[in-house]
Amino acid sequence: RCQSPALGRPRHRARPAGRPACSVAAPGLARTETQMAATLSAALHYVLYEKVHFVLEAAMGALLAYVLFLKKPSAPRRERPLTKAEQQELVDEWRPQPLQQPLDAMQQLDDASLCEVESVGAGGETIVVRGATLFNMASMNALGMQRDAHVAERCEAALRKYGCGSCGPRGFYGTIDVHLELERHLAEFVGTEAAILYPSAFAAVASGIPTFAKRGDVLFCDAAAHNAVQVGNKLSRSNVHYFRHNDMAHLEELVAAHRVPPHRRRFIVVEGLYVNTGDVAPLQRVLAIAKRNYCYTVLDESHSMGVLGATGRGACEHHGVDPHDVDVLLGNLGNALGSLAGYCCGSKVVVNHQRLNGSGYVFSASLPPYLAVAASTALACLRD
């Protein structure tokens, strides 16, 4: 059976003997096979993807409904309650963790190791311990103000006038005229615009540093700094980097390696006279590094006040440095001046900022008035 291209109908005629069948229908068969393959592929795709996908979604939905609405939480397993004897046995076996690691032989103190001072000599250079008069080589009383007759006389008069304590913080009925007088004397003696008085020397340092340095700032501190400085560094939550003691090359390396964005600050913290080593800081080189690298400077004069300098004005006088070049100047009145307090000297902006933001100043009872008089009298002795 053959189909003529000129006619629309097939034409039947007898095929002669020995003549092969007509091959015109071969292309039509190929197209039919292609269509069947495409249909089969589409069917498989529908079954494998559409149907299976639907079945999986239905199964997940059923499982979710079962978990949310049908499944009941299993009842907790009830254990047999402990008897009184068993409870007491557990209590006897329990051992709490120690609050502190055991001390070694070098760290332990006994009664024989304690130095209990019974009296102090007239000049403060001798003490009596267990009935024996000893020469005191450990005292911070460098100027003998502890037993100065004039200081003692002024303190006695202040004690009779104001009483013993102030019984209030500086911002709440704790400011007495002798406090303001001492702050004026400190600013004049050190050579700065203003000064602020803390009731504790430790608080002046440990609170003064975090009053200015905050999270995100960078502190470069001498490795030999005493404990109050280290505590202040931690409380500031700044990024603290300790340089080797009095190693200015190491300080410059750290300053060059730790840059900060414009809204952050960098501080260099040193002591005028290091209590842990007994030597002084190269203050002029420290200030030069700070100026070149736009760093603020914090100088702790706790042990240099009344000791260094021709007139006892501290490290700035000893090195011939203008106190205005130091941004934050901290100190202690309980060493060479024989009283009890801490202070911070600087610009009026630096001082006034602490009156509302210095935790050791705001939340502590102010210095007893007679101790403020003792410090003012000692400063007058140095000045005169």
Side-chain angles (χ1 to χ4, degrees):
R1 185 178 181 184
C2 296
Q3 183 175 359
S4 173
L7 302 176
R9 300 176 181 176
R11 214 165 55 171
H12 300 273
R13 61 182 178 179
R15 178 167 57 89
R19 185 176 178 180
C22 181
S23 60
V24 177
L29 292 176
R31 287 193 298 269
T32 302
E33 294 177 356
T34 302
Q35 293 174 357
M36 293 178 62
T39 303
L40 181 61
S41 176
L44 290 175
H45 180 274
Y46 176 78
V47 172
L48 293 179
Y49 292 95
E50 300 295 336
K51 290 293 185 181
V52 173
H53 185 30
F54 174 77
V55 171
L56 291 177
E57 286 185 345
M60 293 177 64
L63 178 62
L64 182 61
Y66 171 75
V67 172
L68 294 179
F69 302 106
L70 299 180
K71 184 179 180 181
K72 296 181 179 180
S74 58
R77 182 181 178 183
R78 296 182 178 179
E79 298 182 356
R80 179 181 61 85
L82 298 176
T83 63
K84 293 293 184 180
E86 291 173 338
Q87 294 178 9
Q88 186 61 39
E89 183 181 357
L90 291 177
V91 171
D92 295 338
E93 292 177 352
W94 181 75
R95 294 293 182 270
Q97 292 294 328
L99 296 177
Q100 178 63 32
Q101 296 299 325
L103 301 178
D104 55 28
M106 293 294 294
Q107 296 173 330
Q108 293 180 0
L109 294 177
D110 51 20
D111 294 339
S113 302
L114 295 177
C115 179
E116 184 176 347
V117 178
E118 300 171 2
S119 63
V120 181
E125 68 276 1
T126 61
I127 56 176
V128 177
V129 179
R130 297 188 181 93
T133 301
L134 305 175
F135 190 70
N136 190 2
M137 299 291 293
S139 175
M140 298 293 183
N141 184 27
L143 303 178
M145 295 294 179
Q146 181 184 13
R147 292 297 301 270
D148 184 81
H150 183 49
V151 173
E153 181 182 351
R154 293 288 306 277
C155 286
E156 182 180 355
L159 188 61
R160 296 183 182 279
K161 179 180 180 180
Y162 300 102
C164 184
S166 58
C167 299
R170 287 289 301 272
F172 190 75
Y173 299 108
T175 296
I176 302 176
D177 56 354
V178 291
H179 294 145
L180 302 176
E181 182 181 354
L182 176 55
E183 289 177 346
R184 288 194 298 268
H185 289 169
L186 277 170
E188 294 172 0
F189 185 79
V190 176
T192 57
E193 291 183 0
I196 184 173
L197 185 65
Y198 284 80
S200 166
F202 191 96
V205 179
S207 174
I209 293 176
T211 301
F212 299 99
K214 303 297 182 180
R215 186 190 299 272
D217 295 336
V218 178
L219 289 173
F220 305 103
C221 184
D222 194 289
H226 61 81
N227 181 256
V229 174
Q230 297 181 28
V231 172
N233 294 342
K234 293 179 181 179
L235 293 178
S236 70
R237 297 178 296 177
S238 302
N239 300 319
V240 184
H241 303 278
Y242 289 93
F243 59 91
R244 291 185 293 270
H245 177 54
N246 278 350
D247 190 340
M248 295 297 100
H250 189 207
L251 172 59
E252 291 198 80
E253 291 177 7
L254 292 177
V255 172
H258 297 87
R259 302 292 181 181
V260 293
H263 63 284
R264 296 301 181 188
R265 298 161 300 178
R266 297 187 296 175
F267 298 81
I268 299 178
V269 185
V270 296
E271 293 182 47
L273 175 61
Y274 289 93
V275 65
N276 291 328
T277 61
D279 51 1
V280 298
L283 188 57
Q284 292 181 343
R285 296 180 61 187
V286 171
L287 293 177
I289 295 174
K291 186 176 181 180
R292 286 198 304 269
N293 295 276
Y294 303 100
C295 298
Y296 294 98
T297 52
V298 179
L299 175 62
D300 181 10
E301 295 257 45
S302 294
H303 299 277
S304 54
M305 178 66 161
V307 176
L308 295 182
T311 60
R313 283 173 167 80
C316 292
E317 184 182 39
H318 176 75
H319 294 282
V321 171
D322 188 352
H324 294 90
D325 294 336
V326 180
D327 298 293
V328 181
L329 207 159
L330 304 168
N332 186 347
L333 301 177
N335 293 330
L337 297 183
S339 182
L340 177 67
Y343 66 89
C344 178
C345 294
S347 65
K348 292 182 179 180
V349 174
V350 168
V351 169
N352 292 334
H353 177 72
Q354 297 175 76
R355 298 196 186 278
L356 292 178
N357 297 277
S359 299
Y361 175 89
V362 175
F363 300 105
S364 298
S366 60
L367 185 69
Y370 73 93
L371 290 175
V373 172
S376 294
T377 306
L379 283 176
C381 294
L382 284 177
R383 184 178 62 250
D384 299 338

